[in-house]
Amino acid sequence: MALDLKPLADRVIVLPAAAEEKTKSGIIIPDTAKEKPQRGEVVAVGEGKISDQGVLVKSQLKVGDQVLYGKYAGTEISLDGADYLIMRESDILAVL
Amino acid sequence: MALDLKPLADRVIVLPAAAEEKTKSGIIIPDTAKEKPQRGEVVAVGEGKISDQGVLVKSQLKVGDQVLYGKYAGTEISLDGADYLIMRESDILAVL
Amino acid sequence: MALDLKPLADRVIVLPAAAEEKTKSGIIIPDTAKEKPQRGEVVAVGEGKISDQGVLVKSQLKVGDQVLYGKYAGTEISLDGADYLIMRESDILAVL
Amino acid sequence: MALDLKPLADRVIVLPAAAEEKTKSGIIIPDTAKEKPQRGEVVAVGEGKISDQGVLVKSQLKVGDQVLYGKYAGTEISLDGADYLIMRESDILAVL
Amino acid sequence: MALDLKPLADRVIVLPAAAEEKTKSGIIIPDTAKEKPQRGEVVAVGEGKISDQGVLVKSQLKVGDQVLYGKYAGTEISLDGADYLIMRESDILAVL
Amino acid sequence: MALDLKPLADRVIVLPAAAEEKTKSGIIIPDTAKEKPQRGEVVAVGEGKISDQGVLVKSQLKVGDQVLYGKYAGTEISLDGADYLIMRESDILAVL
Amino acid sequence: MALDLKPLADRVIVLPAAAEEKTKSGIIIPDTAKEKPQRGEVVAVGEGKISDQGVLVKSQLKVGDQVLYGKYAGTEISLDGADYLIMRESDILAVL
């Protein structure tokens, strides 16, 4: 799934995975108690950061990567009814 | 729409999109409750940042770009009756 | 209008435009309520910043430029009865 | 023990050693009093940090290293029922 | 007037101009109300800052320069009964 | 005395000197009042810091050096019953 | 007077000048009221700072220099009954 939105510099746009609505023991979690997901899919990648030396440092991520990110990373944006997170590549912890 | 105002270095001037005056369900929002828009159009672009090595790092934006920016980005300026935001390119999150 | 005062490094001296003494509807504003102007004229420009590499990064401004600057930018100095602002070039937002 | 999860840049993933459940004198420590372990095993290593000069600075660690790390280092992640810590290489103090 | 004291690196020593003891209208200002002067004379200049590249960035000031400096710039030192200010060259705003 | 523990980067491991248990006048100091020692012996040295240019900046210290360090420097680690401090080389003030 | 203690990197060791025990008018100052001296003699100089480029930036000071330093500069160390200050060269303001 790609997105018609081009992040600038070293930013990426992530579609957060839906938060699990059941605990492991099967109890349904009310909406206010759901833990914010930290897993998502990269839907857009910026061109990379241009360093002081004029070197373009490209992103190590690509569209479709499943990623883990810090709990409070990024800025929420709403686009066509869906909620995305736009964050710097350095906020991405790992690729699954 | 261009603007007769030259931002310095890596700054851009953005004309914020008009805040929506209705919620999705059609309720009219009173002026004080309107959410500040985070979408706008670039109306002027600076020449770029000159790094310590004397390298000119040009902007990746151009006049007419529709952009998303952080909620508290930039400084408000009033020109000929219209309100603009002047911000650094790094405050621009993405190009639509 | 030039000034017999040489700012150091990447500093410029700005003569703030007189604050408007009337609101748009013609009401005279008492002195304490006048908004501090954010527009002014460059009256002196420093030679530029010498970077760590020994490169002289020259100012992009020249004497006579009409500029916009942030509300709390610069240090006020009094010279021959007039009040000026001395600020770094990076505090200048745009050239009119 | 390796892990199917690729940390980005200069990050590593560490499986913390189980906290000791007995004190030296043999008293069983209740769960809430157990000191968080500071010793663990590296289970995944990122490719390294790309510096401003475009130089890739590789990690000095490898999968399987027994490491010591600061008490509050890293972000906890849960994967397949096990708890890991993902941290920057600079949070690792020493290799055993 | 020179001074037998060598400031290190990019520091300069300034002899503050005597604070005016009368207001413009001729009222004598008691000692506690005198505004700290922001104008002074350079009496000693350091050799300059050695940058990370090993480049010596020389001072743009020389002994005898009349300078303006920020209100709280520098450290006060007492020498042979006179009070001087020792400050970094970057604290000097302009040369008269 | 060496140690089977390899500190990373520009870190060193120090065995603090035993705190003096008597004051100069011969009074025995109870354990809680003993001043934390600031003197110790280097027992392990990291390979050095890799700078942004990819240059390895080696440590100026070696195993066996008697060093002075700041009062709150380093992280305490327990190994085989002894307490060590692991700190960055920049926390070491001087070599005796 | 030299000292058998080698400061690391860009540090120097200073023997503070004895605080004056009399005011100018001859009043003896009780110990608690004595102003901490800001003048002292350099008794040991480190080899210098190694920059990111691997360049050794040597100290501009030498043993025996009479120096002025900021009021709260450095860390106090006790050696053979005398109290010294160990500080970075950048804390030294000037050489007398």
Side-chain angles (χ1 to χ4, degrees):
Chain A
M1 169 177 36
L3 191 75
D4 186 21
L5 184 65
K6 182 118 215 75
L8 278 200
D10 59 336
R11 288 191 183 84
V12 295
I13 302 178
V14 172
L15 177 69
E20 287 167 40
E21 270 160 60
K22 288 191 187 181
T23 61
K24 281 172 186 172
S25 50
I27 297 167
I28 290 162
I29 312 167
D31 204 68
T32 53
K34 264 188 275 179
E35 204 178 39
K36 238 172 123 193
Q38 295 183 268
R39 187 188 282 221
E41 186 184 332
V42 175
V43 292
V45 180
E47 273 180 46
K49 199 162 82 178
I50 297 168
S51 80
D52 266 17
Q53 273 71 19
V55 179
L56 178 73
V57 181
K58 284 203 177 171
S59 178
Q60 301 181 28
L61 294 166
K62 59 181 192 300
V63 170
D65 278 351
Q66 299 294 322
V67 294
L68 292 180
Y69 51 88
K71 216 168 180 169
Y72 304 106
T75 302
E76 287 186 7
I77 55 173
S78 244
L79 223 82
D80 307 327
D83 289 324
Y84 299 91
L85 281 170
I86 184 158
M87 59 183 79
R88 296 192 174 270
E89 192 191 338
S90 60
D91 291 328
I92 304 282
L93 299 173
V95 179
L96 286 165
Chain B
M1 171 177 36
L3 191 74
D4 186 22
L5 184 66
K6 182 120 214 75
L8 279 199
D10 58 337
R11 287 191 184 85
V12 295
I13 302 179
V14 172
L15 176 69
E20 288 166 40
E21 270 160 60
K22 288 191 187 182
T23 61
K24 281 171 186 172
S25 50
I27 297 167
I28 290 162
I29 313 166
D31 204 67
T32 53
K34 266 189 276 181
E35 204 179 38
K36 238 172 125 193
Q38 295 183 269
R39 188 187 282 220
E41 186 184 331
V42 174
V43 291
V45 179
E47 274 179 45
K49 199 162 84 178
I50 297 169
S51 80
D52 267 17
Q53 273 71 20
V55 179
L56 177 74
V57 180
K58 284 203 177 171
S59 178
Q60 300 181 28
L61 294 165
K62 59 181 190 303
V63 170
D65 277 352
Q66 299 295 322
V67 294
L68 292 180
Y69 51 88
K71 215 167 179 169
Y72 304 106
T75 302
E76 287 186 6
I77 55 173
S78 246
L79 224 81
D80 307 328
D83 290 324
Y84 298 91
L85 280 170
I86 185 157
M87 60 183 78
R88 296 190 174 272
E89 193 192 336
S90 61
D91 290 329
I92 304 281
L93 299 173
V95 180
L96 286 164
Chain C
M1 170 176 37
L3 191 76
D4 186 22
L5 183 67
K6 181 121 214 75
L8 279 199
D10 59 337
R11 286 191 185 85
V12 295
I13 302 179
V14 173
L15 176 69
E20 289 166 37
E21 270 160 60
K22 287 192 188 180
T23 62
K24 281 172 187 170
S25 50
I27 297 166
I28 290 163
I29 313 167
D31 204 69
T32 52
K34 266 188 276 180
E35 204 178 38
K36 239 172 124 192
Q38 294 183 270
R39 188 188 281 220
E41 187 185 331
V42 174
V43 291
V45 180
E47 275 180 44
K49 199 161 83 177
I50 297 168
S51 80
D52 268 18
Q53 273 71 20
V55 180
L56 177 74
V57 181
K58 284 203 176 171
S59 179
Q60 300 181 27
L61 294 166
K62 59 180 191 303
V63 170
D65 278 351
Q66 299 294 323
V67 294
L68 292 180
Y69 50 89
K71 214 165 181 170
Y72 305 107
T75 302
E76 288 185 7
I77 55 172
S78 245
L79 223 82
D80 307 327
D83 290 323
Y84 298 91
L85 281 170
I86 185 157
M87 60 184 78
R88 296 192 173 269
E89 192 191 338
S90 61
D91 290 329
I92 304 282
L93 299 174
V95 179
L96 285 165
Chain D
M1 169 177 36
L3 190 76
D4 186 22
L5 183 66
K6 182 119 216 75
L8 278 200
D10 58 337
R11 288 192 183 83
V12 296
I13 301 178
V14 172
L15 177 68
E20 287 165 41
E21 268 159 62
K22 287 193 187 179
T23 63
K24 280 171 187 172
S25 50
I27 298 166
I28 290 162
I29 312 167
D31 204 66
T32 52
K34 264 187 276 179
E35 203 178 39
K36 240 173 123 193
Q38 295 183 267
R39 188 187 283 220
E41 185 184 333
V42 175
V43 292
V45 179
E47 275 180 45
K49 198 160 83 177
I50 297 168
S51 81
D52 267 19
Q53 273 71 20
V55 179
L56 179 73
V57 181
K58 284 201 177 173
S59 178
Q60 301 180 28
L61 294 166
K62 58 180 193 300
V63 170
D65 277 351
Q66 300 294 323
V67 293
L68 291 181
Y69 51 89
K71 214 166 181 169
Y72 304 106
T75 302
E76 286 186 5
I77 56 175
S78 244
L79 224 82
D80 308 326
D83 289 323
Y84 299 91
L85 280 170
I86 184 158
M87 59 183 79
R88 297 192 173 270
E89 192 192 338
S90 60
D91 291 327
I92 304 283
L93 299 173
V95 180
L96 286 164
Chain E
M1 171 176 36
L3 191 75
D4 186 23
L5 182 65
K6 182 119 214 75
L8 278 200
D10 58 337
R11 286 192 185 85
V12 295
I13 302 179
V14 172
L15 176 69
E20 289 166 37
E21 269 160 61
K22 288 192 188 181
T23 62
K24 281 172 188 172
S25 50
I27 298 167
I28 290 162
I29 313 167
D31 204 68
T32 53
K34 265 188 276 180
E35 205 179 38
K36 238 173 124 191
Q38 294 182 269
R39 188 188 280 220
E41 187 184 331
V42 174
V43 291
V45 179
E47 275 180 45
K49 199 161 85 176
I50 297 169
S51 80
D52 268 18
Q53 273 72 19
V55 179
L56 177 74
V57 181
K58 283 202 176 172
S59 179
Q60 300 180 28
L61 294 166
K62 58 181 192 301
V63 170
D65 277 350
Q66 299 294 323
V67 294
L68 292 181
Y69 51 89
K71 213 165 181 170
Y72 305 107
T75 302
E76 287 184 6
I77 55 173
S78 246
L79 222 83
D80 307 328
D83 289 324
Y84 299 91
L85 281 170
I86 185 158
M87 59 183 80
R88 297 193 172 268
E89 191 192 339
S90 61
D91 290 329
I92 303 282
L93 300 174
V95 180
L96 285 164
Chain F
M1 169 178 35
L3 190 77
D4 187 22
L5 183 65
K6 181 120 216 72
L8 278 200
D10 59 337
R11 288 192 183 82
V12 295
I13 302 178
V14 172
L15 176 69
E20 288 165 39
E21 268 159 62
K22 288 194 187 178
T23 62
K24 282 172 187 171
S25 50
I27 298 167
I28 290 163
I29 312 167
D31 204 66
T32 53
K34 263 187 276 180
E35 204 178 38
K36 242 173 121 191
Q38 295 182 267
R39 189 186 281 221
E41 185 184 333
V42 175
V43 292
V45 179
E47 275 179 45
K49 198 160 85 176
I50 297 168
S51 80
D52 267 18
Q53 273 71 19
V55 179
L56 178 73
V57 181
K58 283 201 178 173
S59 178
Q60 301 179 27
L61 295 166
K62 58 180 194 299
V63 170
D65 277 351
Q66 299 294 322
V67 293
L68 291 181
Y69 51 89
K71 213 164 182 170
Y72 304 107
T75 302
E76 287 185 7
I77 56 174
S78 245
L79 223 82
D80 308 327
D83 289 324
Y84 299 91
L85 280 170
I86 183 158
M87 60 183 79
R88 297 192 173 270
E89 192 193 338
S90 60
D91 290 328
I92 304 282
L93 299 173
V95 180
L96 285 165
Chain G
M1 170 177 37
L3 191 77
D4 187 22
L5 182 65
K6 181 120 215 73
L8 277 200
D10 59 337
R11 286 193 184 82
V12 296
I13 301 179
V14 172
L15 176 69
E20 288 165 38
E21 268 160 62
K22 287 193 188 180
T23 62
K24 281 171 187 171
S25 51
I27 298 167
I28 290 162
I29 312 167
D31 204 67
T32 52
K34 264 188 276 180
E35 204 178 41
K36 240 173 124 190
Q38 295 182 266
R39 189 187 280 221
E41 186 185 332
V42 175
V43 292
V45 179
E47 275 180 44
K49 199 160 85 176
I50 297 169
S51 80
D52 269 18
Q53 273 72 19
V55 179
L56 178 74
V57 181
K58 284 201 177 172
S59 178
Q60 300 180 27
L61 294 166
K62 58 180 193 300
V63 170
D65 278 350
Q66 299 294 324
V67 293
L68 292 181
Y69 51 89
K71 212 164 181 169
Y72 304 107
T75 302
E76 287 185 6
I77 55 173
S78 246
L79 223 82
D80 307 328
D83 289 324
Y84 299 91
L85 281 170
I86 184 158
M87 59 183 80
R88 296 193 173 268
E89 192 193 337
S90 61
D91 290 328
I92 303 283
L93 299 174
V95 179
L96 285 166

